[in-house]
Amino acid sequence: MDCIQPIETQGATYRYEEDGQQAVDHVSLSIPKGSMIAVLGHNGSGKSTLAKLMNALYLPTEGRVLVCGLDTALEENLWDVRRHAGMVFQNPDNQIVATVVREDVAFGLENLGVPQPEMLPRIDEALLAVRMTEYAAAAPHMLSGGQKQRVAVAGVLAMQPDVMILDEATAMLDPSGREEVFSTVRKLNREKSITVVWITHFMEEAALCDRVLVLHHGAIAMDGTPREVFSQVDELKKLGLDVPPMAELAEMLRQGGLSLPAGILTVDDMVKELKACL
Ligand SMILES: Nc1ncnc2c1ncn2[C@@H]1O[C@H](COP(=O)(O)OP(=O)(O)O)[C@@H](O)[C@H]1O
Ligand SMILES: [Mg+2]
């Protein structure tokens, strides 16, 4: 089935029973096919709750969430929703279920009831896509954090989802692991047109996405291209967020007298503008 609209939320709201607060508060959002959207927001702003609404781990207490046009609240859609929208979580150790990498990637496929002969090529393809082929027979606990997260990504990828939701998938990794996982997912997004929802608190990752969404008290506070969002420095600071390191450095250099243009977000931008400037 063709998925034209991977994620659409219509006034989606979620209230935890315990405290009665709206963790996600009337969020209306539509994520076009093939895009990679970063979701930012300080702790408790509702990012994880929104992520869980996007693959029917939670059902909205008000409003609707549609995954590839399927209403997540309808019980008969549950398995299709989970197949279309795969999740990767923060802690790589909590996501590994098998003692061999290949079996770990197979786990989701077994749950979906994919026939054995079809499973093997899908597993190989997924491991290749995250550059973990040579570890297929390895024990997951021997891998680095970045490698474990790539195995988790392969597990989702093998299910051939239309959208991948990664909830702070790089938060527990060292800088090189973070880069590994981010660039792997960005590449899958570009080359396989997989739609990605990338929840993060690293501004430099958000700067490399197509679109940036900022949540505050469960509602959308900002929504635009990285350049649009990160040029609003005061607004970001009010919401408890930083600007990307290169944007901050550019601002310092400007105050030191260099005439750098607005919109510098990445190291590449900085190098280019400094060359032009010197
Ligand atoms: N299991 C839970 N029970 C009750 N309240 C929760 C639960 N999980 C999160 N919350 C509350 O919901 C709000 C949003 O949390 P969360 O979605 O985890 O935000 P984020 O991922 O941005 O840190 C917070 O106020 C948090 O305290
Ligand atoms: Mg969270």
Side-chain angles (χ1 to χ4, degrees), residues 18 24 32 43 51 60 94 104 118 121 132 135 142 150 152 155 159 183 193 197 207 211 217 220 238 247 257:
E18 287 90 303
V24 169
N43 277 342
N94 291 349
D104 198 74
E118 203 185 307
M132 287 296 286
Y135 295 95
M142 300 299 285
R150 276 148 61 201
M159 300 204 263
S183 60
S193 281
V197 179
R211 176 171 161 199
H217 294 317
I220 298 175
K238 247 194 285 170

Side-chain angles (χ1 to χ4, degrees), residues 47-48 167-168:
K47 304 181 296 297
S48 294
D167 189 358
E168 302 208 36

Side-chain angles (χ1 to χ4, degrees), residues 14-24 39-52 58 90 167-168 199 215 217-218:
Y14 189 82
R15 199 178 292 110
Y16 287 96
E17 306 234 321
E18 287 90 303
D19 56 6
Q21 295 250 21
Q22 290 182 160
V24 169
V39 180
L40 300 173
H42 61 77
N43 277 342
S45 60
K47 304 181 296 297
S48 294
T49 307
L50 182 62
K52 286 172 183 156
Y58 293 163
Q90 185 178 106
D167 189 358
E168 302 208 36
I199 298 172
L215 289 184
H217 294 317

Side-chain angles (χ1 to χ4, degrees), residues 91-111:
N91 188 338
D93 294 313
N94 291 349
Q95 299 177 75
I96 289 169
V97 292
T99 52
V100 177
V101 165
R102 184 186 284 115
E103 285 167 16
D104 198 74
V105 177
F107 183 76
L109 295 180
E110 281 163 6
N111 276 347

Side-chain angles (χ1 to χ4, degrees), residues 149-251:
Q149 285 299 60
R150 276 148 61 201
V151 172
V153 170
V156 170
L157 194 60
M159 300 204 263
Q160 303 177 340
D162 293 282
V163 49
M164 287 177 74
I165 302 144
L166 300 99
D167 189 358
E168 302 208 36
T170 58
M172 299 180 73
L173 308 180
D174 61 20
S176 71
R178 243 152 56 200
E179 212 290 311
E180 241 169 61
V181 173
F182 181 85
S183 60
T184 299
V185 172
R186 189 55 161 136
K187 195 159 175 266
L188 292 174
N189 160 255
R190 289 222 163 99
E191 291 177 1
K192 297 186 190 279
S193 281
I194 295 176
T195 307
V196 176
V197 179
W198 182 267
I199 298 172
T200 187
H201 62 261
F202 295 108
M203 301 300 143
E204 61 268 42
E205 293 173 354
L208 297 170
C209 292
D210 300 315
R211 176 171 161 199
V212 177
L213 192 79
V214 181
L215 289 184
H216 188 62
H217 294 317
I220 298 175
M222 299 172 87
D223 182 2
T225 64
R227 270 171 226 290
E228 286 162 0
V229 168
F230 290 126
S231 60
Q232 294 170 257
V233 178
D234 291 342
E235 179 68 13
L236 284 167
K237 297 222 155 129
K238 247 194 285 170
L239 299 172
L241 297 173
D242 294 324
V243 295
M246 283 304 126
E248 192 106 60
L249 178 60
E251 190 51 38

